């Protein structure tokens, strides 16, 4: 009853339009569409959840009749490649017949029927398979058949010959096909793995749907089916708004791309200048899209002029309100039903401006060939696998490219761009300014003789480089030409040899661009300084560049550098100075940057020293101290450096051994921080050469600490002359009685040169009775000088 009421309402609206008249070309406002009716499920089988070994018959399917002698089965099994449960359909000896499992619905359905199947074709070679059938209630027609063809990939059969949808499939891989069929419009859409690959195609005289069938390849074949789902939506006589994918302004027209629906028999294209104006129906689009993605692509090119009472061309540059409504035609009742209107604003252009990212050196592109300018794009980074031409029938991809071109900006045009022969608006494909000085490159099929605009007389040079491209049939080599352009200068993309392109003699060209840097360089930054003025020295590759200097984000200098070298003084503030140099050409937003950090520190480090004694007898003395910040330590002795700029961390004690000279040593210690600030300390140390105490041994070189009667005793000492002067050394051994009276002695005199080491030994035989005796050993410089050079060693 509801459907009958909808038909009566729409028929009444149609009569009102026919009887009421009105301004030619204007449509009567339509009644708002009914709310969308949710689909009902007719069949939903997930065989991966079914019990292994169940047959299709047990799950509610019936089987097709096969020739005598043929065998078939339809059983839930584990598919061997991916180990998933699925319905395994298999047939043998069937000749030209398929094995089908069928599901017949309780009643015939009209409106929209959607069938979705997930399947896997096993084996090592592809087989033709009329995979899924939707059959009418009379059982006389397969309204649409979706399937596979070894050479054509995914296909459908409107009758007997498969139609190629240019979509490949893989063996031993799960794929999903979905078919949406509308019985009113007698059209269907088809998806493969979620991608729409066919839209609004004519069915085989659809009136209703009663049965779905799944088939194996004919004769000897098999198929795995993981799931199947069929839904039904009752007819909608007031279709919903269409979805506009995108639009593009062309010369006195507005083209739009509409996401297709099976319930669309055609589209009504409307236009008006202001919101309060009535709609003017400028076109009715009935074509079936063939491209991928399969959008409907009508255009609006006329507007109603109430003054002249005629339709006139659109005015370039003026913004219009465009409306699109779906018309569903009941092909049985021969009645049209128009739905709600999708609106958008759009502007026609004689030439189309194509905005580019701010980071791209290619400025706004003006497309004179603007028919498909919406498919153009301005990109950064050119790599293997990129497609320089959009929507080319045989996709052309880069296979090899020299490394120096991979980071360039480039323009991707539409495939038909290379066919453009010019127009009244201009004899070029496009123009664009460069946003800074740039090298522009044209990669052109080397089979093409360069046109005049790309000749050496026009400033272009052959770089000798090539980029390799390939499609499914051929490989191509594109020669690269280069020309340099000043900042803001216009680049013209001239015409391709369209006649040769149409004859397959060239594959066209594409454009790349790379900014030419100013060549800004600067001497390495000094991280620390104690000077409040810092000098920046550097260079540029060209004169006339504006150089701005910032310190801690504040502009401190800006000037045009007349030469290619510069020297600039920058005032520093105490602490961290973050300095940035920015070089920019006039009229350009591009720049080159160099930055660094300079610390201004005017405070000397705090040097703390361990105060040494005023005199020592050890020639090696350890200078000890610490500094409150990282510094370089320098130590001098009597004006000679003994530790030169040795690094020490902050607040970490340091120790440096210093070899003293005989006599007075003037020690100077300095600590210099990274900024060049210096602290100094000094002190004097008197060094007296000292030989050290002798020791007593017997002749077996065993040390003796008590007197042993009748034993040979010697005093021994190894001595190194640690001075820069020759030394006379005398070793004395004296034996004393109990009254401290010398009763015997022995001496040894040696001469030691600077740095020389000798072992001095002398002694005598002790008497039988040593009670009350003692031995004393000591070292003097000589008998004459009698200057002690050691402490005494005594054995009682």
């Amino acid at each position: 009853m509801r459907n009958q009421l909808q038909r009566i309402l729409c028929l009444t609206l149609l009569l009102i339009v026919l009887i009421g008249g009105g301004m030619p070309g204007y449509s009567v406002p339509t009644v708002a569409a009914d709310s969308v009716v949710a689909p009902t499920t007719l069949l939903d089988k997930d065989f991966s959840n079914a019990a292994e070994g169940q047959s299709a018959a047990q799950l509610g399917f019936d089987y097709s009749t096969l020739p005598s002698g043929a065998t078939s089965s339809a059983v839930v099994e584990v598919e061997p490649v991916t180990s998933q449960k699925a319905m395994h359909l298999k047939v043998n000896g069937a000749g030209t017949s398929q094995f089908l499992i069928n599901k017949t619905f309780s009643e015939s359905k009209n409106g929209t029927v959607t069938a979705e199947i997930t399947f896997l074709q096993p084996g090592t070679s592809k087989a033709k398979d009329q995979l899924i059938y939707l059959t009418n209630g009379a059982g006389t027609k397969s309204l649409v058949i979706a399937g596979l063809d070894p050479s054509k990939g995914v296909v459908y059969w409107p009758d007997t010959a498969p139609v190629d949808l240019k979509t490949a499939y893989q063996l031993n891989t799960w794929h999903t096909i979905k078919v949406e069929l509308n019985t009113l419009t007698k059209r269907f859409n088809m998806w493969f793995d979620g991608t729409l690959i066919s839209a609004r195609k004519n069915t085989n005289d659809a009136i209703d749907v009663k049965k779905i069938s799944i088939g194996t390849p004919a004769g000897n074949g098999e198929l795995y089916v993981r799931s199947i789902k069929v839904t039904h939506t009752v007819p909608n006589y007031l279709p919903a708004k269409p979805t506009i994918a995108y639009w593009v302004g062309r010369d006195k027209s507005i083209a739009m791309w509409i996401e297709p629906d099976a319930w669309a028999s055609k589209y009504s294209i409307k236009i008006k200048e202001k919101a309060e104006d009535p709609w003017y129906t400028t076109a009715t689009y009935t074509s079936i899209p063939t491209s991928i993605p399969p959008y409907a692509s009508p255009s609006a090119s006329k507007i109603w002029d109430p003054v002249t009472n005629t339709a006139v061309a659109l005015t370039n540059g003026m913004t219009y309100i465009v409306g699109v409504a779906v018309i569903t035609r009941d092909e049985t009742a021969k009645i049209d039903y128009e739905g709600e209107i999708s609106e958008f604003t759009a502007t026609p252009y004689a030439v189309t401006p194509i905005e580019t990212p701010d980071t791209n050196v290619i400025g706004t592109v003006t497309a004179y060939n603007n028919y498909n300018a919406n498919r153009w794009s301005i990109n950064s980074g050119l790599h293997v696998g990129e497609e320089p031409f959009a929507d080319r029938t045989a996709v052309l991809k880069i296979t090899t490219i020299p490394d120096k071109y991979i980071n360039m900006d480039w323009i991707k045009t539409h495939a038909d761009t290379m066919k453009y022969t010019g127009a009244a608006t201009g004899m070029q494909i496009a123009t664009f300014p460069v946003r800074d000085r740039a090298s522009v490159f044209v990669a052109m099929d080397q089979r093409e003789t360069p046109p005049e605009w790309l000749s050496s007389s026009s400033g272009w040079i052959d770089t000798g480089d090539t980029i390799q491209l390939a499609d499914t049939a051929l490989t191509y080599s594109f020669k690269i030409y280069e020309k340099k352009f000043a900042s803001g200068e216009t680049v013209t993309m001239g015409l391709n040899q369209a006649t040769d392109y149409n004859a397959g003699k060239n594959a066209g060209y594409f454009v790349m661009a790379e900014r030419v840097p100013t060549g800004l360089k600067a001497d390495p930054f000094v991280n620390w300084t104690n000077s409040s003025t810092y000098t920046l020295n550097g260079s540029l590759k060209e004169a006339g560049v504006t150089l701005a200097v910032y310190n801690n984000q504040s502009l401190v200098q800006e000037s045009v550098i007349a030469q290619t070298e510069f020297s600039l003084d920058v005032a520093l503030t105490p602490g961290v100075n973050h300095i940035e140099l920015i070089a920019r050409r006039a009229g350009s937003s591009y720049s080159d940057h160099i930055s660094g950090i300079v610390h201004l520190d005017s405070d000397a480090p705090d040097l703390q020293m361990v105060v040494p004694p005023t005199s020592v007898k050890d020639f090696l003395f350890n200078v000890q101290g610490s500094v409150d910040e990282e510094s370089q330590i320098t130590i001098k002795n009597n004006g000679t450096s003994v530790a030169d700029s040795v690094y020490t961390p902050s607040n970490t004690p340091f120790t440096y051994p210093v070899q003293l000279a005989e006599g007075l040593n003037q020690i100077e210690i300095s600590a210099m921080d990274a900024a060049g600030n210096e602290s100094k300390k000094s002190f004097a140390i008197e060094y007296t050469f000292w030989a050290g105490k002798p020791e007593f041994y017997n002749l077996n070189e065993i040390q003796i600490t008590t007197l042993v009667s009748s034993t040979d005793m010697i005093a021994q000492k190894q001595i190194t002359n640690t001075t820069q002067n020759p030394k006379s050394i005398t070793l004395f051994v004296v034996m004393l009685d109990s009254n401290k009276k010398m009763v015997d002695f022995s001496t040894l005199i040696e001469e030691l040169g600077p740095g020389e080491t000798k072992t001095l030994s002398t002694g005598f035989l002790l008497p039988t009775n040593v009670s009350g005796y003692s031995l004393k050993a000591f070292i003097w410089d000589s008998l004459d000088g009698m200057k002690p050079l050691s402490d005494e060693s005594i054995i009682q």
Side-chain angles (χ1 to χ4, degrees), residues 740-755:
K740 306 301 181 185
K741 180 180 178 181
M742 183 175 68
V743 295
D744 200 358
F745 75 96
S746 176
T747 63
L748 176 65
I749 300 173
E750 289 284 356
E751 295 291 332
L752 274 69

Side-chain angles (χ1 to χ4, degrees), residues 85 155 363 650-651 660 735 739 766 772 790:
K85 282 191 295 183
V155 294
S650 62
N651 297 310
L660 301 178
M735 186 167 68
N739 296 318
L766 296 181
S790 77

Side-chain angles (χ1 to χ4, degrees), residues 362 365 376-378 388 409-413 432 493 510-511:
I362 297 172
V365 176
W376 291 25
S377 61
I378 291 81
D409 300 335
W410 60 286
I411 300 174
K412 181 176 185 176
T413 61
F432 62 88
M493 294 173 57
F510 60 96
V511 174

Side-chain angles (χ1 to χ4, degrees), residues 711-743:
T711 301
D712 286 309
M713 299 283 292
I714 60 174
Q716 183 174 294
K717 178 62 179 171
Q718 186 183 65
I719 301 171
T720 299
N721 181 5
T722 59
T723 73
Q724 299 299 314
N725 303 309
K727 291 292 181 182
S728 178
I729 307 295
T730 303
L731 173 60
F732 291 87
V733 180
V734 179
M735 186 167 68
L736 305 172
D737 61 14
S738 57
N739 296 318
K740 306 301 181 185
K741 180 180 178 181
M742 183 175 68
V743 295

Side-chain angles (χ1 to χ4, degrees), residues 24-27 252-254 256 267-272 279-285 298-304 311-314 321-324:
Y26 282 80
S27 63
K252 298 180 182 179
S253 70
I254 298 166
M256 65 210 75
Y267 295 92
S268 175
I269 314 303
K270 309 169 187 300
I271 193 167
K272 56 185 177 181
W279 288 111
Y280 168 64
T281 301
T282 181
T284 301
Y285 180 80
S299 295
S301 58
K302 299 286 186 178
I303 184 76
W304 187 259
V312 297
L314 303 185
I321 302 171
V322 182
V324 183

Side-chain angles (χ1 to χ4, degrees), residues 706-713 735 764-768 770 775:
T706 60
L707 297 182
V708 181
S709 61
S710 303
T711 301
D712 286 309
M713 299 283 292
M735 186 167 68
F764 43 73
L765 179 64
L766 296 181
T768 303
V770 294
L775 280 180

Side-chain angles (χ1 to χ4, degrees), residues 68-243:
S68 176
T71 61
S72 65
S73 63
V75 179
V76 176
E77 296 177 357
V78 175
E79 185 276 316
V81 177
T82 63
S83 301
Q84 299 183 57
K85 282 191 295 183
M87 178 63 67
H88 186 196
L89 307 179
K90 187 162 58 175
V91 66
N92 288 288
T96 59
S97 298
Q98 287 183 276
F99 171 51
L100 304 175
I101 63 172
N102 312 297
K103 182 67 175 179
T104 303
F105 309 125
S106 59
E107 59 183 18
S108 295
K109 304 296 180 182
N110 58 16
T112 301
V113 175
T114 302
E116 185 172 332
I117 178 173
T118 299
F119 67 93
L120 177 149
Q121 189 177 98
T124 57
S125 60
K126 294 180 177 180
K128 174 183 175 181
D129 191 352
Q130 293 179 294
L131 184 65
I132 180 171
Y133 296 73
L134 289 175
T135 307
N136 66 354
T140 57
K141 295 246 184 207
S142 293
L143 309 176
V144 61
I145 304 171
L148 310 171
D149 183 271
S151 61
K152 297 182 178 182
V154 181
V155 294
Y156 72 91
W157 282 266
D159 193 2
T160 56
V163 175
D164 185 2
L165 295 176
K166 298 180 176 62
T167 305
Y169 74 96
Q170 305 299 322
L171 292 172
N172 304 305
T173 301
W174 290 108
H175 294 294
T176 299
I177 285 181
K178 183 172 81 170
V179 176
E180 176 188 84
L181 181 150
N182 188 284
T183 63
L184 270 69
T185 62
K186 299 185 181 181
R187 296 177 187 268
F188 73 91
N189 291 344
M190 186 169 162
W191 289 260
F192 184 71
D193 289 342
T195 299
L196 185 65
I197 59 174
S198 180
R200 299 177 56 246
K201 299 294 173 119
N202 292 319
T203 66
N204 198 358
D205 197 25
I207 299 174
D208 55 14
V209 178
K210 180 71 172 177
K211 183 174 71 173
I212 184 171
S213 303
I214 304 169
T216 64
N220 302 290
E222 58 181 326
L223 182 75
Y224 286 92
V225 179
R226 193 168 66 197
S227 63
I228 179 171
K229 184 175 183 179
V230 183
T231 61
H232 169 243
T233 304
V234 297
N236 184 5
Y237 295 101
L238 293 172
K241 294 179 180 180
T243 300

